[in-house]
Amino acid sequence: MSKKVLIVDDSIYMRSLIRSALEEAGLEVVGEAKDGETAIDLALDTQPDLITLDNILPDMMGFEILKVLRDQGLESKVIMISAVGQQTVVNKGKELGASEYIVKPFTSEALIEVVNRVM
Amino acid sequence: MLDKLNENELEVASKLVFDGLSMAKKSMEQILQSPISMEKVDYSHGKNVPLPKYQPNDDQSVHVIKTNLIGELKGTSHLIFSEDEVAKVFSACLPASIIESDSAESKMMKMGFLTEMDNMMAAAVITEFSNFLGLEIYGHVPSLEVVKASEVNNYLAKQSGEFDAIIHFKAIFKGKELDISPDFVWIFQEEFVDKIKNLV
């Protein structure tokens, strides 16, 4: 059975890019969210194996979403994907429970390599 | 407000933006999967410095992508592309199926690509400021507005209203598939000047 993934990013372009890469790698995308509130609802509803999580969303930061999901007991693997690449931010993401933090831009190959390492 | 900086301090502020743009160049190379060069061609600072490229009688459309800074320092960045440059960016970066389509989804993808490009470029410069100043600052979700070229300077003047310091950069990004010279306009609050002064 293919692994289930939820994509969280405010950009339709980025969601489309990530979806193509993941589907090509044989993963099942169970949902897309462009804001934090939708992301939390979808994550709790679909219980994905993996969440790709942008850190800057219109209504909240990825960090906050991650914290809410962990507080709710969701154990999905999380890969943060963001243009924000300061080392302190990357470290904070990992401290909050993200398995990896990818700084944009990235190639599809690099994303899949990280996904395979995390799953 | 930037007039408060002495030559040395101004040099530092300018270098931070330029170093950030050099990182932005690397981001563009990754997007294009092809090497490009970057050359700074114009630099100005101060308040109400009009951008010479945008004349009052120019009817061309201009894409202004704005990113608000969030965190410990307030300000906004603007990445400004002419119509011609937008077409060049699309042609170099997007598949023909999207460029040639007029569907609502294709339009959203095109605009989404531009804002994502700005997101990465602004983040590169913000990272330079953040690391140098030791402050937690990020770029928020970018927004895009299409305005007439003749209105760009009024638009920027309005945007700078609540802030104090403006840095304008123009750079040429040139590669096999791309040749554009967008404008970058950074507007900061006075605290930015104080932080630079304290550190230089």
Side-chain angles (χ1 to χ4, degrees):
Chain A
M1 206 169 75
S2 57
K3 299 279 187 188
K4 296 188 297 178
V5 190
L6 171 66
I7 300 169
V8 183
D9 201 300
D10 60 281
S11 162
I12 184 177
Y13 169 78
M14 197 48 73
R15 293 198 305 274
S16 161
L17 202 73
I18 295 170
R19 176 186 273 273
S20 297
L22 296 177
E23 288 182 340
E24 206 165 299
L27 287 95
E28 181 195 356
V29 176
V30 292
E32 292 184 13
K34 61 179 182 182
D35 57 53
E37 199 180 330
T38 312
I40 291 168
D41 287 346
L42 276 177
L44 296 174
D45 277 355
T46 60
Q47 302 275 317
D49 300 294
L50 174 71
I51 301 171
T52 66
L53 179 60
D54 189 9
N55 198 18
I56 306 283
L57 293 160
D59 54 347
M60 62 177 85
M61 287 195 74
F63 291 154
E64 296 171 77
I65 297 168
L66 185 50
K67 191 168 181 321
V68 170
L69 295 179
R70 292 297 185 237
D71 287 349
Q72 298 275 334
L74 193 78
E75 292 178 356
S76 310
K77 301 278 186 189
V78 172
I79 297 175
M80 298 200 72
I81 301 177
S82 177
V84 178
Q86 290 98 308
Q87 197 54 49
T88 50
V89 175
V90 174
N91 294 343
K92 188 172 175 184
K94 291 187 174 173
E95 279 164 25
L96 285 167
S99 301
E100 288 287 349
Y101 192 114
I102 298 174
V103 180
K104 295 174 185 175
F106 56 89
T107 60
S108 298
E109 294 76 20
L111 171 64
I112 297 308
E113 192 189 312
V114 172
V115 168
N116 287 336
R117 196 162 63 231
V118 164
M119 300 297 290
Chain B
M1 193 55 59
L2 281 176
D3 297 341
K4 282 185 181 174
L5 296 177
N6 65 32
E7 206 170 307
N8 187 27
E9 292 156 351
L10 206 50
E11 182 81 5
V12 170
S14 158
K15 186 179 180 307
L16 285 175
V17 176
F18 192 68
D19 286 351
L21 290 182
S22 302
M23 295 304 291
K25 178 196 87 117
K26 287 185 187 165
S27 296
M28 284 182 73
E29 285 177 329
Q30 268 194 275
I31 294 169
L32 289 167
Q33 294 286 294
S34 159
I36 55 173
S37 62
M38 186 190 78
E39 189 187 333
K40 181 174 71 173
V41 290
D42 195 13
Y43 168 71
S44 62
H45 64 88
K47 192 156 182 169
N48 299 325
V49 181
L51 304 183
K53 182 175 165 184
Y54 305 105
Q55 300 299 320
N57 55 356
D58 192 342
D59 220 22
Q60 191 191 170
S61 289
V62 173
H63 288 62
V64 182
I65 309 154
K66 175 182 161 186
T67 301
N68 285 324
L69 264 61
I70 50 175
E72 293 181 82
L73 190 66
K74 297 287 177 282
T76 52
S77 93
H78 302 82
L79 175 58
I80 306 171
F81 289 114
S82 69
E83 218 166 358
D84 186 39
E85 284 165 344
V86 168
K88 284 181 184 175
V89 168
F90 288 162
S91 162
C93 303
L94 294 176
S97 57
I98 291 180
I99 299 170
E100 287 157 15
S101 168
D102 271 337
S103 71
E105 198 190 347
S106 292
K107 281 180 187 165
M108 279 169 71
M109 288 291 274
K110 286 178 205 166
M111 295 309 111
F113 178 78
L114 280 185
T115 51
E116 199 53 43
M117 193 170 165
D118 169 77
N119 188 23
M120 290 180 239
M121 297 181 87
V125 178
I126 291 167
T127 298
E128 288 298 317
F129 283 120
S130 172
N131 290 340
F132 182 79
L133 300 172
L135 297 174
E136 270 201 30
I137 40 175
Y138 319 105
H140 207 307
V141 174
S143 61
L144 184 149
E145 271 189 68
V146 181
V147 300
K148 292 281 175 210
S150 56
E151 294 164 7
V152 169
N153 282 309
N154 279 342
Y155 173 91
L156 290 172
K158 213 178 278 179
Q159 294 291 314
S160 66
E162 57 181 304
F163 296 106
D164 303 291
I166 300 181
I167 299 177
H168 164 232
F169 260 92
K170 189 168 187 62
I172 296 176
F173 294 92
K174 206 170 186 174
K176 206 171 84 183
E177 300 174 65
L178 195 66
D179 180 4
I180 54 170
S181 52
D183 289 281
F184 299 87
V185 178
W186 288 79
I187 303 172
F188 296 101
Q189 62 182 185
E190 185 176 359
E191 200 185 346
F192 167 77
V193 173
D194 297 336
K195 298 275 183 196
I196 296 265
K197 276 191 164 299
N198 290 341
L199 283 168
V200 176

